[in-house]
């Protein structure tokens, strides 16, 4: 009787395990929803769609993009956080996700770290600093000297409070000991118009957003916030080469899943993402956008996100940045 009872327990346990094994083997059995918390057309949307397209070619999976912009990416992230952790919802985040942990501390409807399972860091896009054509400084060394000689008179724009460009400029101010005025805009386009018009002194953003205007002679590039010259803007010196402090600033693209998504599914998506990012086709396309492709493991992506949260928390606190 004892042996029979053990046998029955073993059979029962097997029936509990089999559905889970079947689920893992069958995934995905329906379309995967991919949430992008930004409007179509920007670098975040473009990079995500490039990778997703390559992943579908590699696997035959069906992935449907769902743009859910709003509230500095909080709307889309919240939808993903509340979704079932069944492997059928993924999310793209950028630097704002890390900054939101401090900017909206205690007010977010989710936890920036605990509500998600990191999948892979797709790529990093170092930022460029540009100035209007009438600005007297021609390199970083001269810009710092001019700003120190004119405290509170040099303006810098960004696509919004808490954006990677804004926080990178705040970091630059802190390290260089400068007093400059932040002018937040609702997106890069209006800030760029004011820069070209001469009413704004400095604008920092991605190479893909700024280099067409630099090459067209409408604005001047001062430096890249990177250790090495970046793809898509190799003619622009690094901040150190231009005579500035050794600091880095970038926007980046990172893939997440809802917390508790099966680890084997997260791992599979991570592998496929890395394979796509490192393909010759995507490398060439990323280079043209000024994106340094990465494609790493869930563990590496988690560490990267943790480090970014800590880095920008210090900058936000020191600068007294408040969410709009």
């Amino acid at each position: 009787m004892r042996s029979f009872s053990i046998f029955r327990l073993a059979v029962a346990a097997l029936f509990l395990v089999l559905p889970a094994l079947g689920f893992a083997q069958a995934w995905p059995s329906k379309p995967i929803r991919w949430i992008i918390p930004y409007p179509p057309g920007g670098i975040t949307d473009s990079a995500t769609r490039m990778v997703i397209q390559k992943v579908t070619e590699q696997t035959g999976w069906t992935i449907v993009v769902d743009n859910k912009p709003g509230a500095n990416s909080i709307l889309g992230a919240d939808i993903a956080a509340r979704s079932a952790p069944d492997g059928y919802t993924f999310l793209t985040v950028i630097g704002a996700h890390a900054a939101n942990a401090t900017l909206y501390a205690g007010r977010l409807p989710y936890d920036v770290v605990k509500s998600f399972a990191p999948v892979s860091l797709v790529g990093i896009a170092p930022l460029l600093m540009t100035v209007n054509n009438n600005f007297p400084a021609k390199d970083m060394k001269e810009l710092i000297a001019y700003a120190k000689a004119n405290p509170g008179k040099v303006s810098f724009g960004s696509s919004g409070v808490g954006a990677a460009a804004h926080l990178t400029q705040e970091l630059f101010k802190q390290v260089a000991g400068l007093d400059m005025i932040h002018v937040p805009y609702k997106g890069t386009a209006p800030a760029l118009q004011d820069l070209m018009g001469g009413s704004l002194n400095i604008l920092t953003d991605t190479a893909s957003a700024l280099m067409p205007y630099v090459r067209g002679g409408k604005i001047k590039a001062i430096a890249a916030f990177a250790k090495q010259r970046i793809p898509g803007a190799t003619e622009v010196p690094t901040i150190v080469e231009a005579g500035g402090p050794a600091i880095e600033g970038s926007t980046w693209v990172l893939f997440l899943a809802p917390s508790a998504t099966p680890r084997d599914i997260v791992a599979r998506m991570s592998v496929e993402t890395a394979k796509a990012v490192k393909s010759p086709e995507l490398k060439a396309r990323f280079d043209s956008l000024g994106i340094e492709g990465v494609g790493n493991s869930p563990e590496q992506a988690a560490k990267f996100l943790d480090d970014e949260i800590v880095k920008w928390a210090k900058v936000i606190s020191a600068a007294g940045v408040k969410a709009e």
Side-chain angles (χ1 to χ4, degrees), residues 174-199:
Q174 292 168 18
V175 174
L178 304 178
D179 176 12
M180 299 192 296
I181 305 302
H182 176 222
V183 183
Y185 290 81
K186 293 188 179 298
T188 301
L192 187 54
Q193 288 299 315
D194 279 358
L195 185 73
M196 292 188 292
S199 60

Side-chain angles (χ1 to χ4, degrees), residues 93-94 97-98 112-113 118 252 254 256 300-310:
V93 295
I94 62 173
H97 185 74
V112 169
V113 175
W252 37 263
L254 191 146
L256 301 174
Q300 291 168 325
K303 185 181 186 307
F304 177 85
L305 180 56
D306 288 343
D307 290 345
E308 286 289 289
I309 291 171
V310 171

